[in-house]
Amino acid sequence: MTAAERREEEKAAFGAYVDGCPTHQLMGIIGNKWSMLVLTDLAQGARRYAEVSRALPGVSAKMLTQTLRSLERDGLVARSVTPSVPVQVEYTLTLLGERIVPLLDSIKEWAGRHIEEIHAARERYDGTPAGV
Amino acid sequence: MTAAERREEEKAAFGAYVDGCPTHQLMGIIGNKWSMLVLTDLAQGARRYAEVSRALPGVSAKMLTQTLRSLERDGLVARSVTPSVPVQVEYTLTLLGERIVPLLDSIKEWAGRHIEEIHAARERYDGTPAGV
DNA sequence: CCGCATCCTTTAAGATACTG
DNA sequence: CAGTATCTTAAAGGATGCGG
């Protein structure tokens, strides 16, 4: 049992380490389905809710709100309300949000440069020369 | 209905675009829980299955195998079997796998530099000065 | 126009036990 | 040692309808 217990402890410790790991947290922020898209759209300039929604035709209202809120909470996006009738809400990148753009660009650049190689590897692995 | 139909079409088209987007695919590869950890471990050198498992105390056999297989399929990791008794299986980064390491480092560096600011933003947003 | 609440489906992840 | 197979749980994502 002692060995098993030690395993458990190590596991818990590692779990805590992973949860506290900045990289893992960052991946949690930008790794979800819409964050990169929203950030990329806002990088072009300020946008209203409906504008972002139109730029991302696949997003549901729920996910857009959730994504925006989450990015706001993380200090990457700023939300400003103009109390007209009906209200106008504008989203912009914060300074921190702008600082993440180059990183996003790096990721996009790497993806663009190497995705073909990955596709080729997949076809080799799957034994599916063409198809799909 | 015509407007609704046009919406549907746009949505499907955008969905297809997102699925085909290299960036999105790359995020699918490195965005899951264990890929970065495994890649980072293999970046130190060749590892056997059980060694990786020990380096990542929280991973279940299932997830480790799944992650390794997926990375192998994507051409980032190479798997070589030595047919002894019992068999020995060694994992290494491929050339492509080594090329992604600098990108991973960029991500880690950004995370390390800015995570505090993100935490601060969260506390401001949550109205939770200390705690948790 | 903006977005919250509810309910439902799909996918990721984990525990466990067993095989060559 | 290096997995596979099965089952269960947790989380992400999405559709829809209501309210300020």
Side-chain angles (χ1 to χ4, degrees):
Chain A
M1 276 296 182
T2 318
E5 282 173 354
R6 271 206 54 212
R7 284 273 187 89
E8 277 308 309
E9 264 181 56
E10 273 175 31
K11 205 157 131 179
F14 189 77
Y17 160 70
V18 169
D19 288 347
C21 171
T23 305
H24 187 248
Q25 292 180 31
L26 178 60
M27 293 308 289
I29 294 169
I30 64 173
N32 59 61
K33 187 162 183 186
W34 300 105
S35 293
M36 295 256 307
L37 272 343
V38 168
L39 253 13
T40 301
D41 189 48
L42 291 184
Q44 319 291 133
R47 294 277 186 275
R48 293 181 51 185
Y49 183 92
E51 289 176 323
V52 181
S53 182
R54 270 191 295 277
L56 278 31
V59 75
S60 67
K62 176 188 166 185
M63 288 316 295
L64 183 53
T65 299
Q66 195 176 105
T67 303
L68 251 8
R69 280 288 178 288
S70 160
L71 293 174
E72 188 194 356
R73 184 170 106 96
D74 294 332
L76 296 168
V77 162
R79 175 174 180 270
S80 61
V81 181
T82 306
S84 49
V85 180
V87 295
Q88 251 180 264
V89 183
E90 194 173 71
Y91 293 93
T92 53
L93 290 188
T94 61
L95 244 45
L96 184 59
E98 281 173 26
R99 281 200 206 100
I100 207 178
V101 172
L103 180 67
L104 268 26
D105 286 342
S106 302
I107 295 173
K108 286 188 237 170
E109 197 199 335
W110 197 98
R113 274 223 230 100
H114 299 285
I115 198 70
E116 286 304 336
E117 209 170 331
I118 289 174
H119 286 164
R122 282 186 186 172
E123 285 177 9
R124 245 177 286 128
Y125 187 93
D126 295 342
T128 309
V132 182
Chain B
M1 275 296 182
T2 320
E5 281 172 356
R6 272 206 54 211
R7 283 273 188 89
E8 277 307 308
E9 263 181 56
E10 271 175 33
K11 205 157 133 178
F14 190 76
Y17 160 72
V18 168
D19 289 349
C21 170
T23 306
H24 187 248
Q25 292 180 33
L26 178 60
M27 292 309 289
I29 293 169
I30 63 174
N32 59 61
K33 187 163 183 183
W34 300 105
S35 293
M36 295 253 310
L37 273 343
V38 169
L39 253 12
T40 301
D41 189 48
L42 292 184
Q44 318 292 132
R47 293 277 187 276
R48 293 178 52 181
Y49 183 94
E51 291 177 322
V52 181
S53 183
R54 269 190 296 277
L56 278 29
V59 75
S60 68
K62 177 190 164 184
M63 288 316 296
L64 184 53
T65 300
Q66 196 176 105
T67 302
L68 251 7
R69 281 286 180 290
S70 159
L71 293 173
E72 188 195 356
R73 183 169 107 96
D74 293 332
L76 296 167
V77 162
R79 175 176 180 269
S80 61
V81 181
T82 305
S84 51
V85 180
V87 295
Q88 256 182 259
V89 182
E90 195 172 72
Y91 293 92
T92 54
L93 290 188
T94 61
L95 245 46
L96 184 60
E98 281 174 26
R99 281 201 206 100
I100 207 178
V101 172
L103 179 67
L104 268 26
D105 287 341
S106 302
I107 296 173
K108 287 187 236 170
E109 197 200 335
W110 198 96
R113 274 223 230 101
H114 299 284
I115 198 70
E116 287 303 337
E117 208 169 333
I118 289 174
H119 286 164
R122 282 185 187 173
E123 286 176 10
R124 244 177 286 129
Y125 187 93
D126 295 342
T128 310
V132 180

